Amino acid sequence: MITFTPLATFAFVSSITPGPNNIMLTSSGIWFGFRRSIPHMLGITVGFGVLLGICAAGIGALVMAVPSAQTALRVAGSAYLLYLAWQMRNMRFDRQAEQANKPLSFMGAAAFQFLNPKAWVMAITGGSAFLPHILPTWLAVAVYCLVFCGINLPCISVWAGAGALLRRFLGQPAWRITFCAAMMLLTAYSAIAIWL
């Protein structure tokens, strides 16, 4: 418990706070509802679990030790977030717009974790600070990944659920304009925060 309580607390705080995954899930909940966003949520958790395992095994520290790898990760992550922010400028919430778009797939969400700077920071920080001190090492890594992912999935589900709840209000122009502006600012801030 001395190891698991701090790990669980870190996993909860880092998973529930705003970041690229949570912003994307809120948008997915609005566009497609909670049920159609489930593959997106599961892809995040599985992809993040793989990233956690890689970082806990020490590879994440090697990636972060190479300045060019850090820069490439930041450029890719911030470029994608700025693209998302731009896409939100003219969001329409009607049946025609919904049918013209598809939710992010399981594989797409899993692959995005390797471009997500917040996911890398969470994985490296968690692996270096909260990896359980149990033997064999593979068991410690497995327990670490299971605990983190078990907490991560419900946390990110809250964001998709919030988006699904907001969906009913966004047919009204005033709500839609306010929401789109807020989401654009949050997404752009996430892209800029990568460099701070």
Side-chain angles (χ1 to χ4, degrees), residues 37-164:
S37 299
I38 289 174
H40 188 166
M41 291 183 276
L42 293 176
I44 287 172
T45 299
V46 170
F48 184 57
V50 172
L51 183 61
L52 285 171
I54 288 171
C55 290
I59 295 173
L62 292 175
V63 170
M64 289 295 107
V66 179
S68 59
Q70 291 182 45
T71 302
L73 183 63
R74 287 178 175 174
V75 167
S78 58
Y80 186 69
L81 288 171
L82 289 172
Y83 166 76
L84 287 177
W86 180 252
Q87 292 294 101
M88 292 178 189
R89 73 195 185 283
N90 290 321
M91 277 184 146
R92 298 193 331 272
F93 300 96
D94 54 38
R95 187 62 60 184
Q96 182 180 1
E98 182 179 339
Q99 291 173 353
N101 294 283
K102 293 181 179 178
L104 191 61
S105 67
F106 175 90
M107 290 304 295
F112 175 69
Q113 302 319 299
F114 292 87
L115 294 177
N116 182 352
K118 183 183 177 186
W120 277 95
V121 170
M122 289 166 59
I124 291 169
T125 304
S128 61
F130 302 107
L131 193 66
H133 299 292
I134 55 178
L135 293 173
T137 304
W138 68 265
L139 180 60
V141 172
V143 168
Y144 165 71
C145 292
L146 287 172
V147 169
F148 213 125
C149 290
I151 292 171
N152 178 262
L153 183 58
C155 289
I156 62 174
S157 299
V158 168
W159 287 81

